[in-house]
Amino acid sequence: MEAFLISTSIVALAEMGDKTQLLSLVLAAKYRKPLPIVAGIFAATIVNHALAGAVGNWITTVLGPDVLRWILGISFILMAGWMLIPDKLDDDEANKAPGRWGVFGTTLVLFFLAEMGDKTQLATVGLAAKYPLSYYWVVAGTTLGMMLANAPVVWFGDKITKKLPIKTIHRICAVIFLVLGIAALLAKV
């Protein structure tokens, strides 16, 4: 249960102000069809985070525990620094018209591609490596975290994003990643 709660919390916080959250806002404003947008985000997140979690689990079979501890510790500390850099949405990502798959398909593809190499995807890899026996809990937690951060943006748009102190949320998330990184480095194998 620890893996689920930590995964949910970290990803929900890390997603605030992230480019995929901005993409959610743009898609909601452009298409004004929240249900297929939220469904597309959910489907893209499950696939993306299941793959990221599998990579995280695989890493634990290849690397020894001491090497893994150092990689995780350093990567979480680097993630803390990355959290302090605001994301921007590329214009070509936001301006694509819905194709033959409609709003759901467009959201699914755009969100999946935008999430590739993103903070939350890399966090999922790290969390799955940290909790190798809790793969499903990590993927469920990171997916829930994404939905907690993105679904309200789709449903309530910029009313919410104008009231949230994004810089403060990023700083809190950076501290959490820093603490996790230090804890991983100091842990005894």
Side-chain angles (χ1 to χ4, degrees):
M1 193 52 115
E2 176 186 344
F4 175 75
L5 295 174
I6 288 175
S7 297
T8 301
S9 302
I10 284 178
V11 169
L13 287 170
E15 184 64 9
M16 295 298 170
D18 192 69
K19 71 179 176 181
T20 46
Q21 189 181 49
L22 298 174
L23 179 60
S24 299
L25 180 62
V26 168
L27 291 168
K30 185 171 185 171
Y31 300 123
R32 300 192 187 283
K33 293 185 178 189
L35 193 55
I37 294 170
V38 169
I41 291 168
F42 181 71
T45 300
I46 284 181
V47 173
N48 195 295
H49 287 204
L51 293 171
V55 168
N57 268 0
W58 172 78
I59 287 171
T60 63
T61 65
V62 176
L63 302 175
D66 210 32
V67 172
L68 183 62
R69 179 175 59 88
W70 279 96
I71 290 172
L72 283 175
I74 291 168
S75 67
F76 280 145
I77 291 169
L78 291 173
M79 190 74 70
W82 192 5
M83 284 305 307
L84 301 174
I85 302 169
D87 273 339
K88 294 180 185 136
L89 183 64
D90 297 332
D91 286 338
D92 53 334
E93 280 181 3
N95 290 326
K96 294 199 177 178
R100 62 180 165 210
W101 296 322
V103 175
F104 171 80
T106 300
T107 301
L108 178 97
V109 171
L110 288 177
F111 204 86
F112 182 86
L113 293 175
E115 185 65 9
M116 296 301 288
D118 198 50
K119 289 181 275 229
T120 49
Q121 185 193 41
L122 296 176
T124 303
V125 171
L127 289 162
K130 180 174 175 54
Y131 300 104
L133 300 177
S134 300
Y135 167 81
Y136 294 107
W137 287 114
V138 168
V139 173
T142 59
T143 300
L144 178 60
M146 289 291 281
M147 298 313 294
L148 289 172
N150 287 297
V153 169
V154 172
W155 293 104
F156 303 112
D158 58 6
K159 291 177 187 173
I160 291 175
T161 57
K162 288 179 182 173
K163 294 185 180 199
L164 289 176
I166 298 297
K167 284 186 179 183
T168 302
I169 291 170
H170 277 208
R171 288 180 184 136
I172 290 168
C173 197
V175 168
I176 291 170
F177 275 116
L178 182 63
V179 168
L180 286 172
I182 292 169
L185 291 174
L186 297 176
K188 299 278 187 199
V189 178

